[in-house]
Amino acid sequence: MNNNSTIITAFLSAYERGGVACNAVEAVRDLHDLNPYPRKGELPDWLMKHYTDTLPKQVQEQTEAFDFSTVESGRISPIIAEIESELRGLVGDERERYLFSLLTPFAELAKIYHPTAEIKRLQQAIKDTESDKAMWESQPQNEQLFDVNGKPAATPKEQAEACSKMIERYKNHIERQQYINRRFCEVVFHSDKNTIEYYCGAWASAATQFANRLDALLLTYGVDLLQLQETSGIYLKYHRVITDVDYYLGSIELAQHYIKALPPHRRASTLAEGDPAASTAQPQQGNQPQASQEPSTGRELPSELDTEQARKYFARAVNAGLMSEQYKWQATQVLLACFCREMSIKLDLGKGYNSEGQKRLSWKPFERLFDVKSKNLTTSLNDIKKTGQNPNGIEKVEEIFGD
């Protein structure tokens, strides 16, 4: 990276240790007890004052002073133009090191916003420990074992029991990671303005915007951002939704062309409308804020929602920070009700019309997908009618269906 790379340097330094984005992430972690191990007791008074008084002022000032248009404006933003200029002069290992340098500043944010790497490590640890457990269970259970010094040690039965406890511990760690991810996205994408959570969400959203634009650029060079993430263990996105990149590449057709040129096993990570792999790919995993959220939960789309049009709306909901890529709703229930209502109408899921001449709604697919009761969704919509007030965030839902 040369001395003229001021745009890249200014943006990436915000996510490095001591940078404004990293400081905001650290504050949100501590304020909302989102570290790997739950906190025992309250934060010290001096630290609470720092996180609620001193630091928010600094973060607000630095965030409002940053020119986010360098990342987010135009089809080819200034930061992407600068990165492409750097790429043209790099080959081989030098190019690879440069590309990794674009990811490493996001390490702290990725741990909480896209904790894919840590969850994968824990899942592998479970597999390894299950293998050890099977080995111990295959031996005489009460046989006396000895350590390297010839002293009596645990029996195979006791070793197997220890493995079982370790497996349960790893599973608890995974659940904790998933909870942290969900809670982080809830906090930073649905907070009041001028709070440190709000500005943390602004930097998380900027990171997502950067990732999508970088992904589009690298596709034109035959480089797969998803593979770079897997190698580095630093994730800015879980998988590629074609609507994340088609605008920056020029069209859906061009996006399909570049994605198709990638090795087949990587193409399967691409989802959404127009995607050649969408019919076979399944959602994989973590902050919307966008959220975030987790590796594959095994949740499948109901057949009524397993369509190209529905996937388009789901992809938009993820980009809007309302839903995770595992189809977990991350906003309020009233917004979920509005989303399901509009989806039902757009997909023509209901049969016939009600007494008021309105298209009937079908809640069943959404009950199965979001694990919510239809009466709760109906109650939310009725509350809107009674008050005559649109819920906060309704504009995000409206934009999703503004075809």
Side-chain angles (χ1 to χ4, degrees):
M1 198 176 295
N2 61 44
N3 293 331
N4 295 323
S5 302
T6 54
I7 299 175
I8 304 171
T9 302
F11 181 64
L12 296 186
S13 62
Y15 297 88
E16 295 276 13
R17 287 277 189 177
V20 55
C22 190
N23 287 341
V25 169
E26 180 180 313
V28 170
R29 270 189 178 280
D30 284 353
L31 285 171
H32 297 275
D33 193 15
L34 300 181
N35 287 294
Y37 294 94
R39 182 175 62 240
K40 295 180 179 179
E42 300 296 326
L43 290 173
D45 291 342
W46 66 269
L47 188 56
M48 180 64 75
K49 179 177 175 58
H50 175 68
Y51 283 154
T52 59
D53 184 17
T54 307
L55 189 59
K57 294 176 183 177
Q58 296 174 358
V59 169
Q60 178 177 357
E61 180 180 343
Q62 292 175 298
T63 302
E64 293 179 347
F66 186 80
D67 183 6
F68 285 97
S69 68
T70 59
V71 179
E72 301 172 349
S73 65
R75 190 173 69 84
I76 301 176
S77 62
I79 195 171
I80 293 301
E82 194 169 279
I83 290 173
E84 182 168 22
S85 177
E86 293 281 343
L87 276 176
R88 290 193 188 113
L90 302 175
V91 296
D93 291 345
E94 190 176 10
R95 172 182 285 188
E96 182 179 67
R97 285 193 295 272
Y98 173 69
L99 293 176
F100 285 141
S101 77
L102 299 177
L103 296 181
T104 51
F106 298 97
E108 289 304 309
L109 175 63
K111 288 176 183 177
I112 192 170
Y113 190 25
H114 291 297
T116 306
E118 178 60 21
I119 291 177
K120 283 184 175 180
R121 284 192 286 268
L122 289 167
Q123 289 173 332
Q124 184 58 52
I126 289 174
K127 290 181 180 179
D128 293 342
T129 308
E130 286 175 339
S131 178
D132 290 342
K133 179 183 175 182
M135 181 270 291
W136 289 118
E137 289 177 336
S138 68
Q139 299 184 18
Q141 292 297 282
N142 296 315
E143 179 183 357
Q144 181 62 63
L145 302 177
F146 299 89
D147 62 20
V148 293
N149 296 315
K151 296 182 179 180
T155 64
K157 179 181 179 181
E158 291 170 331
Q159 293 283 15
E161 290 172 349
C163 288
S164 295
K165 292 179 181 179
M166 185 60 69
I167 290 170
E168 191 62 29
R169 190 176 304 170
Y170 288 140
K171 289 180 178 179
N172 289 338
H173 286 329
I174 290 176
E175 290 180 2
R176 175 67 178 171
Q177 287 289 338
Q178 293 172 340
Y179 164 77
I180 289 171
N181 176 240
R182 288 193 302 271
R183 184 62 183 147
F184 175 79
C185 292
E186 291 170 358
V187 166
V188 303
F189 293 112
H190 307 288
S191 57
D192 294 332
K193 194 172 182 180
N194 298 328
T195 62
I196 198 162
E197 291 87 353
Y198 174 85
Y199 291 110
C200 184
W203 287 104
S205 295
T208 298
Q209 177 79 234
F210 173 74
N212 289 335
R213 289 173 177 269
L214 179 63
D215 188 21
L217 171 64
L218 296 185
L219 283 171
T220 66
Y221 282 80
V223 177
D224 190 359
L225 176 62
L226 303 183
Q227 183 61 58
L228 291 173
Q229 291 184 146
E230 188 174 323
T231 301
S232 66
I234 301 171
Y235 288 76
L236 294 179
K237 56 192 297 181
Y238 295 120
H239 51 231
R240 180 182 299 109
V241 177
I242 202 166
T243 50
D244 289 343
V245 297
D246 66 327
Y247 168 71
Y248 309 123
L249 290 170
S251 68
I252 285 181
E253 288 74 17
L254 278 174
Q256 291 174 335
H257 169 74
Y258 287 120
I259 292 169
K260 195 172 182 179
L262 294 174
H265 73 286
R266 298 309 308 174
R267 274 185 262 140
S269 296
T270 302
L271 303 172
E273 64 172 321
D275 178 13
S279 61
T280 57
Q282 293 296 323
Q284 202 171 340
Q285 189 171 343
N287 127 132
Q288 180 238 217
Q290 261 196 216
S292 217
Q293 79 204 265
E294 309 93 344
S296 177
T297 60
R299 183 177 300 188
E300 295 182 359
L301 283 175
S303 59
E304 302 95 323
L305 302 177
D306 193 8
T307 66
E308 180 177 310
Q309 185 179 14
R311 287 181 182 277
K312 175 180 68 175
Y313 294 135
F314 286 135
R316 291 177 181 175
V318 171
N319 289 337
L322 299 176
M323 187 181 79
S324 79
E325 293 173 345
Q326 297 72 48
Y327 306 106
K328 287 191 176 182
W329 192 254
Q330 300 179 152
T332 60
Q333 180 171 285
V334 67
L335 286 184
L336 174 60
C338 294
F339 175 82
C340 295
R341 175 189 62 193
E342 295 303 314
M343 179 82 90
S344 179
I345 293 172
K346 286 287 187 179
L347 300 181
D348 196 23
L349 299 180
K351 302 299 182 183
Y353 295 83
N354 61 23
S355 59
E356 299 176 353
Q358 298 172 329
K359 195 77 170 65
R360 291 188 183 279
L361 303 177
S362 175
W363 296 122
K364 289 190 179 298
F366 305 105
E367 286 182 304
R368 299 198 300 272
L369 180 62
F370 294 114
D371 192 22
V372 63
K373 294 182 179 179
S374 61
K375 67 177 182 179
N376 294 334
L377 298 176
T378 302
T379 298
S380 294
L381 294 181
N382 288 338
D383 288 343
I384 295 175
K385 289 181 180 180
K386 291 177 183 178
T387 62
Q389 298 290 325
N390 283 326
N392 292 332
I394 189 62
E395 67 281 354
K396 293 184 178 181
V397 174
E398 293 173 344
E399 289 175 3
I400 291 171
F401 300 98
D403 291 332

